[in-house]
Amino acid sequence: DQQVKQNSPSLSVQEGRISILNCDYTNSMFDYFLWYKKYPAEGPTFLISISSIKDKNEDGRFTVFLNKSAKHLSLHIVPSQPGDSAVYFCAASARGSQGNLIFGKGTKLSVKP
Amino acid sequence: GAVVSQHPSRVICKSGTSVKIECRSLDFQATTMFWYRQFPKQSLMLMATSNEGSKATYEQGVEKDKFLINHASLTLSTLTVTSAHPEDSSFYICSARVRGYSPLHFGNGTRLTVT
């Protein structure tokens, strides 16, 4: 059973607009959430993270929102740029798990010029 | 910043042979490294946790005799796929963290194709 779900396999957005990528989780023990960006034939690159004690974390064009009661997090990219086109993975870990990350299946974002 | 180097990036081997993949932390010491595998259009699945100086911890369903992990130093972990079969063809990625609860840094992965 998937503990981290990204229900949208793909998303297409116009350059300059907002991209919103969603992620749901089922394990209430998760207390640390991350977003990774991945290009083909490369390893994932860390983008932004959020601890369960927060509900928002912002870094430049990237903002992650966490709704613990809904077990839902989202990544907002604004304004979107063509270079943002990649696969975005949501990941989560639970304290005491040695930091093992559980990944979603990813959402492929395409930003059109 | 922290860098994890993985080698080779791509390997093709014949069925029945063994393949070794190296994962190095270039500018930090990693007591723990993680090995993931990704099948097409699937998420990254944790295979095993590699601990320096001790035995690796394997996830359920991962054969430890088939996927040999050695973490001989604080900067190097190796994954050997023994007696490879076509179903082992996949994208293998290692990762490590600089300290404590910091984000994992990933290598660029190894695309293994077994013919």
Side-chain angles (χ1 to χ4, degrees):
Chain A
D1 186 33
Q2 267 196 291
Q3 297 185 65
V4 178
K5 300 178 185 179
Q6 291 177 259
N7 292 320
S8 298
S10 63
L11 174 68
S12 183
V13 171
Q14 203 69 31
E15 181 179 6
R17 307 293 289 268
I18 185 171
S19 295
I20 301 177
L21 298 105
N22 293 303
C23 178
D24 297 293
Y25 61 96
T26 58
N27 190 342
S28 58
M29 298 300 290
F30 287 149
D31 63 350
Y32 188 52
F33 305 89
L34 308 91
W35 284 94
Y36 282 83
K37 177 180 177 180
K38 185 180 181 299
Y39 294 113
E42 291 185 11
T45 303
F46 169 71
L47 202 55
I48 193 169
S49 65
I50 189 167
S51 162
S52 61
I53 63 174
K54 295 186 174 182
D55 53 21
K56 177 182 175 181
N57 189 24
E58 190 173 353
D59 184 2
R61 296 186 297 115
F62 303 92
T63 303
V64 55
F65 295 92
L66 175 63
N67 183 334
K68 288 188 293 293
S69 60
K71 292 192 176 68
H72 176 84
L73 66 154
S74 60
L75 174 68
H76 292 211
I77 306 173
V78 56
S80 302
Q81 300 173 354
D84 296 329
S85 298
V87 177
Y88 289 79
F89 287 95
C90 170
S93 70
R95 194 171 294 276
S97 66
Q98 212 174 1
N100 301 344
L101 292 182
I102 307 298
F103 283 85
K105 287 189 177 182
T107 297
K108 184 175 182 179
L109 173 65
S110 299
V111 180
K112 300 184 185 304
Chain B
V3 176
V4 175
S5 174
Q6 190 171 337
H7 178 80
S9 58
R10 187 179 297 269
V11 58
I12 301 173
C13 70
K14 291 186 176 181
S15 186
T17 61
S18 296
V19 174
K20 180 185 281 189
I21 302 170
E22 292 187 349
C23 179
R24 295 180 185 274
S25 56
L26 294 187
D27 53 0
F28 64 99
Q29 294 182 330
T31 55
T32 303
M33 291 185 175
F34 302 90
W35 286 94
Y36 286 82
R37 177 170 56 186
Q38 184 187 23
F39 292 107
K41 297 185 179 179
Q42 298 296 314
S43 61
L44 288 84
M45 299 297 295
L46 180 66
M47 298 176 64
T49 302
S50 170
N51 301 298
E52 187 267 337
S54 65
K55 291 183 179 180
T57 304
Y58 290 82
E59 295 300 303
Q60 192 173 9
V62 178
E63 300 175 56
K64 61 181 179 181
D65 294 330
K66 181 169 186 60
F67 299 99
L68 300 179
I69 290 174
N70 184 287
H71 196 153
S73 77
L74 286 170
T75 58
L76 174 65
S77 175
T78 61
L79 168 68
T80 302
V81 183
T82 63
S83 187
H85 289 109
E87 56 265 32
D88 297 325
S89 298
S90 186
F91 192 55
Y92 293 86
I93 314 174
C94 70
S95 65
R97 52 168 45 91
V98 175
R99 63 185 180 282
Y101 222 41
S102 61
L104 283 178
H105 295 276
F106 286 83
N108 275 337
T110 298
R111 170 70 61 192
L112 171 64
T113 304
V114 185
T115 60

